[in-house]
Amino acid sequence: MAKPNVVSKQDLIEAAKSCIAEHGMEKLTLKTVAEKANVTQGTVYYHFHTKNQLMLDVVKDVCQGSWNELSQTTAHDIDISVALQAAKERCGPDSFYHRLFLSLVVSGFTHQEIRQELGQLIAFENSMLSEKIRELVGDGPDSRVMGISPETWAVIMNAIIDGLAVQSLVSSDFDRERTFAELAFFFQQVLKKKQPE
């Protein structure tokens, strides 16, 4: 017997993540989430009117969780290679994060609301990353690294990670280990040039 329809949106997001981990993204439906959470499909529909909205909320939850973890430390305590490790894991062929994210990007071409919400999510990520870069290189008029502002570096870094995710998902010979190791080295060298004394 299903539980009374007293379940939080977060509980349903967790159920959706479990469904994806167990059965793959392709089998994610509002019905499978309802079954996993032991609630009615109407309860899931109440929180997420569409599968795209459910997917978007899962992506936002994973993204927010990553940034919450990163926010617990100062930028000086973060080794670039350690920070990129999380990004590398989200870019793996078995990782669902970028599969969901990129599916939503495609949906966003024809759905204005999804496009706007993804734009807000990307703006949030860029803002958080820019803040961490400023912690590393300092703030003020001299905060540019190689003539580039922390805000632009954040956009570039974010775009690189998303681009690497695409390559990881579509290219069977993509060398994630080497690519991310060399990317970490590159960012360490770039940011070293501007670290405050």
Side-chain angles (χ1 to χ4, degrees), residues 68-110:
N68 285 343
E69 285 180 34
L70 196 56
S71 295
Q72 302 303 314
T73 59
T74 64
H76 294 288
D77 295 332
I78 298 170
D79 178 349
I80 295 293
S81 60
V82 171
L84 283 173
Q85 179 67 27
K88 181 179 79 173
E89 289 169 9
R90 289 188 348 193
C91 288
D94 298 328
S95 170
F96 69 82
Y97 176 82
H98 274 97
R99 285 175 185 258
L100 286 177
F101 176 78
L102 295 169
S103 294
L104 289 165
V105 167
V106 171
S107 293
F109 293 142
T110 56

Side-chain angles (χ1 to χ4, degrees), residues 122-136:
I122 291 169
F124 165 76
E125 284 190 307
N126 289 342
S127 171
M128 295 296 288
L129 188 51
S130 172
E131 182 180 309
K132 289 298 175 188
I133 293 169
R134 283 188 184 284
E135 287 178 28
L136 276 171

